[in-house]
Amino acid sequence: MSPQQKHALITGASRGIGRGIALKLAENHVKVAVHYYRNQSAAEETLEAARQRGSDGFILQADVRSTDEIARMFDTLKSHFGYLDIFVANARPEAAEFFQPPMEITLPQWDAAFDSQAKGFLISARLASALMRDQGRIVAITYAQGSRTGSLLPWVAMGSAKAAMESLVRYFAVALAKRGITVNAISPGWTEDSVLSSLPEQVQDLIRKWHTSGWTPMRRLGTPEDIGNVVALFCSPEAGWITGQTIYADGGASLMNPEVPPEIQLG
């Protein structure tokens, strides 16, 4: 990254993938605004870890489902940083707030997904770009598999919302291209210390065994550090010609054919 001081906002940065992103940017001496919703102590831990990596920043709280709170978040950001170089949209509600199949999901559950992802990204990207210097970076964390398939029925709200967010990434990429601001999405595979950790132990074990046995060709799950590395790549000057793309960061899992047993695919 450029030695000139950069400022970043990462939503949902108190833990998991968001923390991994914040710490990787901190290693590159980017000052980080660590957003959280409920867990202030975890956000403070992320900020302290960023300081140990030679950076600094501050924490800020907001519910990304609320347009008013998003606006307040960016007002706070402006008062602390003045300008912005990197915005990473990572936050989402806890699974219990939206995880229901299509025949049972309630409208409040549906709204929790769409307000935080599609509408939240629309508002946030506009406010971020207004504070952003030219050649800035906007990155959305998605789950592209879930936005394109229908087999995990309780993911219907979040999958639909992520599909809308991925579409917005492409529209914003065109709208902001003349300023050299790139807008991309990253789709992690199953990642340790993320939503996986909130699932029952038996489910976690099944997922780990499935991926380490070969469904992820690299035979491991991802880590928050892996995703942070990809964000850092997007934020480098060398990535300035890449925009409007959804990049899979999943160790090759998205390359597998679900119609063919892994034993045959892997030889």
Side-chain angles (χ1 to χ4, degrees):
M1 291 189 179
S2 166
Q4 185 179 12
Q5 181 63 66
K6 292 183 181 290
H7 296 153
L9 166 63
I10 306 98
T11 64
S14 62
R15 52 186 173 165
I17 288 174
R19 175 178 286 183
I21 294 168
L23 297 187
K24 183 61 182 182
L25 294 177
E27 288 176 8
N28 285 283
H29 307 294
V30 176
K31 287 189 175 181
V32 291
V34 177
H35 161 266
Y36 73 97
Y37 177 32
R38 293 190 177 100
N39 197 336
Q40 180 177 342
S41 62
E44 291 171 344
E45 290 172 6
T46 299
L47 181 58
E48 178 57 31
R51 287 169 173 159
Q52 291 172 4
R53 285 161 172 77
S55 184
D56 202 355
F58 68 101
I59 65 171
L60 72 171
Q61 187 276 340
D63 182 351
V64 297
R65 296 171 296 185
S66 165
T67 55
D68 289 342
E69 293 203 25
I70 291 172
R72 176 177 57 79
M73 176 174 68
F74 278 94
D75 285 342
T76 302
L77 183 78
K78 183 177 182 179
S79 68
H80 278 75
F81 281 167
Y83 62 88
L84 190 64
D85 299 284
I86 299 164
F87 169 58
V88 182
N90 168 71
R92 61 157 179 78
E94 296 294 337
E97 299 182 54
F98 63 83
F99 199 70
Q100 284 290 342
M103 302 302 289
E104 300 171 22
I105 191 166
T106 65
L107 288 180
Q109 289 171 323
W110 180 266
D111 289 343
F114 269 81
D115 287 351
S116 64
Q117 306 303 304
K119 185 166 73 175
F121 184 70
L122 172 69
I123 301 303
S124 295
R126 291 197 301 213
L127 292 173
S129 64
L131 291 178
M132 195 167 281
R133 300 187 294 184
D134 290 354
Q135 315 304 317
R137 301 289 188 261
I138 296 176
V139 180
I141 304 301
T142 186
Y143 178 51
Q145 294 287 54
S147 69
R148 287 164 168 75
T149 63
S151 58
L152 183 58
L153 291 178
W155 196 254
V156 59
M158 187 56 66
S160 301
K162 290 291 192 185
M165 185 173 72
E166 290 166 25
S167 181
L168 279 170
V169 162
R170 295 186 284 273
Y171 283 100
F172 273 114
V174 174
L176 296 172
K178 60 182 175 291
R179 294 180 53 199
I181 295 173
T182 66
V183 188
N184 292 288
I186 297 171
S187 177
W190 282 101
T191 304
E192 297 286 5
D193 299 322
S194 65
V195 66
L196 178 68
S197 303
S198 68
L199 301 177
E201 285 292 332
Q202 184 179 11
V203 175
Q204 293 186 43
D205 290 343
L206 287 170
I207 290 172
R208 286 192 180 94
K209 288 176 182 177
W210 178 247
H211 286 275
T212 58
S213 66
W215 192 259
T216 292
M218 289 189 179
R219 295 180 182 270
R220 69 172 177 86
L221 298 188
T223 66
E225 292 78 13
D226 289 326
I227 311 308
N229 288 337
V230 181
V231 172
L233 286 172
F234 271 133
C235 292
S236 68
E238 291 79 3
W241 196 237
I242 304 170
T243 196
Q245 304 303 305
T246 297
I247 303 298
Y248 288 81
D250 61 4
S254 56
L255 305 176
M256 299 294 284
N257 186 338
E259 298 176 354
V260 181
E263 295 81 358
I264 297 174
Q265 297 186 67
L266 298 170

